[in-house]
Amino acid sequence: MAYTPQYGPGTSVVAENRRRQMNPNVELDKVRDVTDEDVVLVLGHRAPGSAYPTAHPPLAEQQEPDCPIRKIVEPTDGAKAGDRVRYIQFVDSMYNGPSQPYQRTYAECYRFRGIDPGTLSGRQIVECRERDLESYSKWLIETEMFEPALTSIRGATVHGHSLRLAEDGLMFDMLQRCIIGDEGVVTYVKDQIGEPLDRAVAVGKPLDDAWVKAHSTIFHSLVGLAYRDDVEYIEYIQRIHSLRTKYGFMPVEE
Amino acid sequence: MTEAVVDYPQCRITPLRMLKPDSAEALLNEVVKIPGIRRMMINGPNLPRTVPYGPARGKPNPNSNRKVIMVGGSEFELRVQVGTMIFEVLDDSVTEKIRALCDRFFTKFPYQLQTGKKYMRTQPTVADYAKYGPDVDPNLIGLMDPRNKEGPVIIQGR
């Protein structure tokens, strides 16, 4: 019988959202439009319209060793062209942010090729070849894995994911990379490391409370769904905990 | 010898959302009209003048939340996004007046008012002693961050 991945346990809406994000066969809703130039501006790695700087000559122009793995694995577009490795880093608020670091890493590993994600408690970074990064970033910003007020693109100085939201609903950002205008549209006025942009990049209006709760992948007993309310999830985590504890005593199977 | 310190009651306002400078100014201007507040402190995450980490380290950090506000006739620049406000008051009746004010003020989102005695320090720590010496003004204990080079703002009140 062919193996069908389950992606994760749980019967709650949070568990279902986690599975939706991870499953590459599920096409996530596109919530907003950003242009390629917008993405390049926010990333801040190169000037819009400039050529991609390279780390090595294109693969077609260089002699590759005779390697069976290289014959099996098709290189990504960025690897073929010899692009530099660059990054994007996301911070998601614990107040019903649409994703969270582990979730982002799982989802990206299932959906993208040629990436090197880094998962931390309050931020998640993904590194890959520059032109691959731009297409992945565009997808991550346009789909339901991004929420203008509760998700933020921050290369450095990321503090804010666990803090109370500000009065206008934005997650705290020491560098105030994005602001909310009079019409309620969130615009990035600085790139991800905090340098002012030549022009502001709009990423749309924050979504309403009902949408945010329906698309959350974070358990939160105060503003969303409590972890302990998802019995199946608790059962799963207790099983893992029990097994790894027993393994610590080197049990011998009889 | 350490002199006996009178423990005045303290209270702490924690709104559900962190306040913008305009709201904080409006609230504080109402609070300073209440007689019987000895000391007051604003807490929250830091808003640095320059970018503290990363490739842009040392570059200016324009931030509309780091704004000059006027409270009780004194002008000062907010260095933090206002998260909590701590007050040391003469007696519990003052706390109740602050509570009544907050009930009127916070209409868009809730707040929490906690009462106790240890939200700000009343006795010098070793770090205070090392930095300010044995004759530090007891009114300033707990208001100053010994690591910070900028001193506290003194609002004379009325």
Side-chain angles (χ1 to χ4, degrees):
Chain A
M1 200 172 76
Y3 169 69
T4 312
Q6 296 175 32
Y7 297 105
T11 51
S12 58
V13 66
V14 170
E16 181 53 35
N17 290 336
R18 289 181 177 187
R19 286 193 288 268
R20 266 171 57 76
Q21 290 188 1
M22 282 191 271
N23 187 346
N25 298 320
V26 172
E27 194 162 329
L28 294 185
D29 297 338
K30 191 174 168 186
V31 186
R32 63 191 66 79
D33 278 309
V34 289
T35 65
D36 293 346
E37 189 183 301
D38 290 345
V39 175
V40 173
L41 280 170
V42 174
L43 290 177
H45 297 311
R46 68 183 179 102
S50 64
Y52 288 99
T54 53
H56 59 77
L59 293 183
E61 292 176 18
Q62 65 180 20
Q63 290 288 320
E64 289 220 79
D66 186 25
C67 166
I69 300 299
R70 286 174 204 238
K71 286 174 187 157
I72 299 169
V73 180
E74 168 80 8
T76 62
D77 289 344
K80 270 185 204 161
D83 288 352
R84 303 176 301 179
V85 171
R86 286 294 177 266
Y87 66 90
I88 187 168
Q89 185 164 251
F90 286 95
V91 178
D92 294 281
S93 173
M94 284 167 58
Y95 288 89
N96 281 334
S99 200
Q100 26 97 349
Y102 266 95
Q103 175 65 25
R104 279 189 185 278
T105 293
Y106 288 139
E108 285 164 4
C109 285
Y110 281 119
R111 286 173 182 271
F112 302 151
R113 294 182 63 230
I115 56 163
D116 178 9
T119 319
L120 300 105
S121 55
R123 59 195 170 103
Q124 191 264 3
I125 188 169
V126 60
E127 296 178 10
C128 60
R129 304 286 189 146
E130 198 162 356
R131 74 188 71 199
D132 302 335
L133 175 76
E134 286 170 13
S135 67
Y136 297 159
S137 302
K138 191 161 188 267
W139 185 86
L140 287 166
I141 296 170
E142 284 185 339
T143 60
E144 56 190 83
M145 287 187 71
F146 188 87
E147 207 283 338
L150 303 175
T151 307
S152 186
I153 303 165
R154 304 182 182 179
T157 323
V158 295
H159 182 53
H161 80 283
S162 61
L163 302 184
R164 283 167 286 156
L165 302 175
E167 255 181 273
D168 50 15
L170 290 183
M171 176 170 51
F172 173 77
D173 183 3
M174 198 183 269
L175 303 188
Q176 207 177 35
R177 273 160 274 229
C178 52
I179 52 173
I180 191 160
D182 293 335
E183 290 172 4
V185 175
V186 176
T187 51
Y188 275 78
V189 292
K190 297 179 184 175
D191 68 9
Q192 63 172 341
I193 58 161
E195 291 193 350
L197 291 171
D198 294 337
R199 70 164 175 85
V201 172
V203 289
K205 292 184 178 181
L207 297 152
D208 60 48
D209 205 35
W211 188 95
V212 163
K213 276 191 179 166
H215 290 79
S216 174
T217 56
I218 301 176
F219 290 106
H220 195 301
S221 60
L222 294 180
V223 296
L225 190 80
Y227 189 40
R228 66 181 60 183
D229 290 346
D230 192 333
V231 177
E232 190 179 297
Y233 230 118
I234 295 287
E235 190 185 331
Y236 166 81
I237 212 76
Q238 284 177 343
R239 178 177 147 75
I240 298 289
H241 179 71
S242 164
L243 288 177
R244 74 198 299 266
T245 306
K246 285 173 189 163
Y247 179 74
F249 292 106
M250 295 289 284
V252 179
E253 249 181 295
E254 295 184 8
Chain B
M1 281 284 287
T2 312
E3 288 176 30
V5 178
V6 182
D7 266 350
Y8 290 98
Q10 295 178 0
C11 64
R12 177 166 71 180
I13 303 173
T14 312
L16 189 67
R17 295 285 178 98
M18 291 203 280
L19 301 184
K20 297 178 88 162
D22 296 344
S23 309
E25 185 177 27
L27 175 63
L28 290 172
N29 272 315
E30 291 298 312
V31 168
V32 293
K33 289 178 188 163
I34 298 173
I37 297 176
R38 291 190 76 243
R39 307 193 293 157
M40 152 172 115
M41 179 157 66
I42 303 168
N43 264 336
N46 186 25
L47 299 171
R49 279 209 178 91
T50 54
V51 178
Y53 322 103
R57 183 176 176 172
K59 293 194 176 166
N61 174 30
N63 194 324
S64 62
N65 290 320
R66 194 181 170 97
K67 191 177 165 188
V68 175
I69 62 170
M70 173 89 91
V71 176
S74 301
E75 227 177 37
F76 65 94
E77 188 183 40
L78 277 178
R79 301 166 198 160
V80 294
Q81 178 131 11
V82 180
T84 57
M85 280 158 278
I86 301 171
F87 303 98
E88 190 175 84
V89 295
L90 288 178
D91 57 59
D92 291 335
S93 68
V94 183
T95 308
E96 290 313 308
K97 285 178 188 159
I98 294 174
R99 190 192 301 277
L101 167 66
C102 290
D103 287 340
R104 290 197 305 276
F105 188 85
F106 291 107
T107 51
K108 290 182 186 161
F109 47 86
Y111 76 99
Q112 194 177 21
L113 190 134
Q114 294 160 299
T115 55
K117 285 187 174 173
K118 291 292 171 223
Y119 297 118
M120 68 172 102
R121 293 197 309 280
T122 50
Q123 289 186 313
T125 59
V126 174
D128 286 326
Y129 185 88
K131 179 138 187 186
Y132 308 115
D135 301 322
V136 61
D137 180 356
N139 287 326
L140 292 179
I141 296 294
L143 292 181
M144 298 179 294
D145 176 2
R147 290 188 305 166
N148 198 334
K149 295 189 178 98
E150 298 175 71
V153 176
I154 296 173
I155 299 171
Q156 290 296 344
R158 284 179 277 181

